[in-house]
């Protein structure tokens, strides 16, 4: 892959991918996340609004793939889809997304992560889960950009996944879009999730994301359970938050660039690019863009 100048560093994104195949379902069947919902429309406009027109490849860290020992990197040249959701309308098990894989890039990613001190290995034995194909089918419907999916390590350790993001950062200089696919809040009635706990947690996420433009935030995310308001309510198990840790790791604090920025178009800071919600505000669909 050819190298881009630092001035054209490809952004990194954290996306809340909703519930199962919700954005391909009739309105009203899944909270406020149907095919014609504001959130679905936002996803469909994302590539244009965020000027993602020069992406050479996409790397997705998904909340829906874990391994107990290593970061697994999908190296299949043409992965099938895993319909890893249950009890949804029959049509949602016929969705297609025929983007190519990228075995060569997958091999390089595994090498970069291993070099960073985190165990990683490639595999061609798995398809793409809905954490990959649901958002990408909306954002890049032509399915003409190669995609590589990465798993989480089931310890869900913040520092480990931050290091994964750090290992991936050089790829952003080559036109590779890093996407953390999870959920800003993923609580339920049993965890005590309310609109207030969800809103408070997302405000904390926004603060940390903005801080990442000028400061290394590893110590902050390592203590997220103590520091974030509504932490347990919003993430009783944090697999949907961990992709955000990886995306944060792919950023590089740049205080000088932030101080010199004069407008939103030149800003090196993070922007919260979406603040939608579902289920009466209890499920946040917040999304973040990282430019640094």
């Amino acid at each position: 892959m050819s190298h881009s100048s630092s001035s054209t560093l490809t952004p990194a994104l954290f996306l809340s991918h909703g519930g199962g195949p919700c954005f391909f379902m009739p309105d009203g069947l899944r909270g406020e996340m149907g095919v014609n919902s504001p959130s679905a429309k936002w996803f469909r406009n994302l590539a244009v609004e965020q000027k993602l027109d020069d992406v050479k490849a996409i790397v997705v860290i998904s909340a829906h793939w874990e391994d107990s020992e290593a970061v697994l990197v999908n190296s299949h040249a043409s992965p099938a889809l895993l319909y890893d959701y249950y009890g949804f309308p029959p049509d949602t098990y016929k969705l297609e997304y025929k983007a190519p894989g990228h075995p060569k890039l997958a091999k390089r990613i595994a090498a970069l992560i291993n070099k960073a001190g985190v165990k990683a290995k490639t595999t061609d034995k798995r398809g793409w889960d809905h954490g990959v194909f649901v958002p990408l089918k909306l954002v890049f419907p032509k399915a003409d950009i190669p995609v590589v999916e990465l798993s989480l390590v089931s310890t869900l350790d913040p520092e480990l996944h931050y290091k994964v993001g750090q290992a991936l950062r050089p790829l952003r200089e080559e036109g590779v879009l890093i996407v953390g696919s999870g959920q800003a809040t993923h609580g339920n009635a049993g965890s005590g999730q309310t609109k207030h706990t969800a809103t408070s947690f997302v405000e904390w996420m926004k603060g940390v994301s903005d801080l990442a433009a000028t400061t290394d935030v590893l110590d902050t995310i390592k203590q997220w359970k103590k520091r974030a308001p509504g932490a347990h309510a919003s993430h009783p198990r944090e697999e949907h938050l961990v992709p955000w840790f990886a995306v944060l790791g792919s950023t590089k604090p740049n205080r000088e660039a932030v101080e010199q920025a004069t407008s939103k178009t030149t800003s090196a800071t993070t922007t919260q690019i979406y603040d939608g919600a579902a289920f009466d505000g209890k499920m946040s669909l917040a999304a973040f863009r990282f430019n640094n």
Side-chain angles (χ1 to χ4, degrees), residues 58-69:
I58 304 168
V59 174
V60 181
I61 303 102
S62 173
H64 291 281
W65 188 16
E66 297 179 25
D67 185 76
S68 62
E69 297 182 355

Side-chain angles (χ1 to χ4, degrees), residues 123-134:
T123 178
D124 61 0
K125 306 301 183 184
R126 189 181 190 270
W128 289 333
D129 56 67
H130 75 275
V132 177
F133 71 81
V134 165

Side-chain angles (χ1 to χ4, degrees), residues 12 68 117 136 164 239 291:
S68 62
L136 294 191
V164 170
E239 77 284 346
N291 297 325

Side-chain angles (χ1 to χ4, degrees), residues 197-267:
T197 59
T199 300
S200 298
F201 188 83
V202 172
E203 281 298 310
W204 178 81
M205 285 183 73
K206 182 179 185 301
V208 175
S209 297
D210 289 344
L211 185 63
T214 59
T215 307
D216 188 305
V217 296
L218 177 57
D219 286 344
T220 300
I221 64 171
K222 285 169 66 175
Q223 301 180 57
W224 75 274
K225 291 181 181 180
K226 295 180 179 179
R227 294 193 177 190
H232 176 74
S234 297
H235 290 282
R237 188 175 186 271
E238 61 267 33
E239 77 284 346
H240 276 71
L241 182 65
V242 170
W244 177 63
F245 299 154
V247 174
L248 285 168
S250 78
T251 69
K252 184 177 181 180
N254 190 340
R255 184 179 301 275
E256 182 179 354
V258 172
E259 292 173 348
Q260 291 178 352
T262 57
S263 70
K264 289 183 179 180
T265 58
T266 60
S267 175

Side-chain angles (χ1 to χ4, degrees), residues 4-249:
S4 302
S5 68
S6 59
S7 62
T8 57
L9 186 70
T10 303
L13 304 175
F14 175 77
L15 301 177
S16 294
H17 59 238
C22 60
F23 299 118
F24 301 97
M25 293 167 51
D27 296 334
L29 292 183
R30 190 67 174 166
E32 298 85 359
M33 297 184 289
V35 66
N36 295 307
S37 66
S39 296
K41 293 176 181 177
W42 176 82
F43 267 110
R44 289 193 289 266
N45 291 329
L46 176 61
V48 173
E49 290 185 356
Q50 296 299 317
K51 298 180 172 59
L52 303 177
D53 51 3
D54 195 30
V55 173
K56 304 295 191 298
I58 304 168
V59 174
V60 181
I61 303 102
S62 173
H64 291 281
W65 188 16
E66 297 179 25
D67 185 76
S68 62
E69 297 182 355
V71 175
L72 300 182
V73 184
N74 193 320
S75 60
H76 201 293
S78 184
L81 301 188
L82 296 177
Y83 303 106
D84 55 333
Y85 39 76
Y86 308 95
F88 289 89
D91 285 352
T92 64
Y93 298 91
K94 299 176 183 178
L95 294 172
E96 295 184 346
Y97 194 69
K98 296 184 178 181
H102 199 320
K104 185 176 179 180
L105 178 60
K107 184 177 180 180
R108 183 177 169 207
I109 288 170
L112 287 170
I113 296 172
N114 277 304
K115 186 177 180 180
V118 177
K119 185 178 180 181
K121 57 185 178 180
T122 60
T123 178
D124 61 0
K125 306 301 183 184
R126 189 181 190 270
W128 289 333
D129 56 67
H130 75 275
V132 177
F133 71 81
V134 165
L136 294 191
K137 186 174 175 64
L138 291 163
V139 180
F140 298 104
K142 292 182 180 179
D144 56 356
I145 303 173
V147 177
V148 175
E149 180 183 7
L150 274 62
S151 79
L152 308 179
V153 177
S154 56
T155 59
L156 306 180
D157 178 63
E159 184 170 8
L160 181 150
H161 293 90
Y162 190 83
K163 287 182 177 179
V164 170
Q166 288 179 316
L168 297 176
R169 190 178 193 280
L171 300 178
R172 295 179 55 201
E173 299 175 2
E174 304 173 25
V176 177
L177 178 68
I178 308 298
V179 177
S181 179
Q183 196 73 35
T185 63
H186 199 249
N188 50 50
S191 69
Q193 185 78 89
T194 65
K195 181 177 180 179
H196 174 71
T197 59
T199 300
S200 298
F201 188 83
V202 172
E203 281 298 310
W204 178 81
M205 285 183 73
K206 182 179 185 301
V208 175
S209 297
D210 289 344
L211 185 63
T214 59
T215 307
D216 188 305
V217 296
L218 177 57
D219 286 344
T220 300
I221 64 171
K222 285 169 66 175
Q223 301 180 57
W224 75 274
K225 291 181 181 180
K226 295 180 179 179
R227 294 193 177 190
H232 176 74
S234 297
H235 290 282
R237 188 175 186 271
E238 61 267 33
E239 77 284 346
H240 276 71
L241 182 65
V242 170
W244 177 63
F245 299 154
V247 174
L248 285 168

